[in-house]
Amino acid sequence: MQRYEFKVKGLDQFKELVSQLYEQLHKEARVILLSGEMGAGKTEFVRKWLQKAGVKGRIKSPSYSIIESYENTKVGTIHHMDLYRIAHPYELIEIGIEDYLQEQLLVEWPEKGWPDEISYDAWIEIKHQKENDRILTMKINKDTDK
């Protein structure tokens, strides 16, 4: 497991970092977990990632629907999942998590219910600092790093 830390100042640097991470990871990483407190930038991370993948139009947070899927991106289908309202990992089994693992999956709030037995490729923790500054800590699992 590799660990990286990035410090960014402002929203523009944050979006630029997400663009760079997309370029580094989009081909190999299928499951990317995003943690951080409310308002840290998890959904903004996913929006920028999806825009880099070619998604046009509105990208909404799946806080209530739990999952939003985007087809025909540069890497095929990308699923955006929000586990904030998940009470127990077995709920993911009920919604068919295995089906979503076959394509790229970006997951917000994994600490709320991501099953330990399901591996991930990258876990990115976003910490909001003063103003719009952020610290991102990324753990790369498997062989997704270059």
Side-chain angles (χ1 to χ4, degrees):
M1 178 154 327
Q2 301 259 323
R3 186 178 180 275
Y4 304 91
E5 184 172 286
F6 307 95
K7 295 179 182 180
V8 295
K9 294 193 173 288
L11 192 55
D12 289 341
Q13 277 190 11
F14 178 73
K15 290 179 179 181
E16 180 57 32
L17 176 60
V18 175
S19 293
Q20 292 170 10
L21 292 175
Y22 174 85
E23 294 303 327
Q24 293 273 320
L25 299 172
H26 77 275
K27 291 180 183 172
E28 292 88 11
R30 289 219 301 216
V31 178
I32 300 170
L33 308 179
L34 299 162
S35 62
E37 64 188 25
M38 191 78 69
K42 297 177 298 296
T43 301
E44 192 60 42
F45 184 103
V46 173
R47 280 189 183 112
K48 186 61 183 176
W49 185 280
L50 289 169
Q51 289 167 350
K52 287 293 292 181
V55 175
K56 305 280 189 231
R58 184 170 182 248
I59 298 169
K60 64 180 186 169
S61 174
S63 294
Y64 293 99
S65 62
I66 300 177
I67 192 150
E68 292 289 332
S69 298
Y70 300 87
E71 297 178 350
N72 302 317
T73 75
K74 294 175 185 175
V75 294
T77 299
I78 300 176
H79 305 286
H80 177 197
M81 184 176 281
D82 187 321
L83 303 184
Y84 188 75
R85 301 191 189 295
I86 296 292
H88 194 278
Y90 74 83
E91 292 180 50
L92 292 177
I93 304 304
E94 289 178 0
I95 65 170
I97 187 70
E98 292 83 13
D99 295 335
Y100 298 107
L101 296 172
Q102 304 308 312
E103 296 155 324
Q104 195 166 76
L105 177 63
L106 303 168
V107 181
E108 294 186 48
W109 296 103
E111 63 275 16
K112 297 280 188 176
W114 189 255
D116 291 334
E117 61 272 10
I118 299 178
S119 67
Y120 60 89
D121 298 302
W123 189 314
I124 301 169
E125 181 182 5
I126 305 170
K127 290 185 179 176
H128 192 260
Q129 303 292 294
K130 63 180 172 149
E131 313 259 336
N132 276 322
D133 298 352
R134 290 173 175 84
I135 296 174
L136 284 79
T137 304
M138 178 172 69
K139 292 184 284 186
I140 299 290
N141 198 8
K142 298 185 185 177
D143 298 321
T144 54
D145 58 329
K146 294 184 179 192

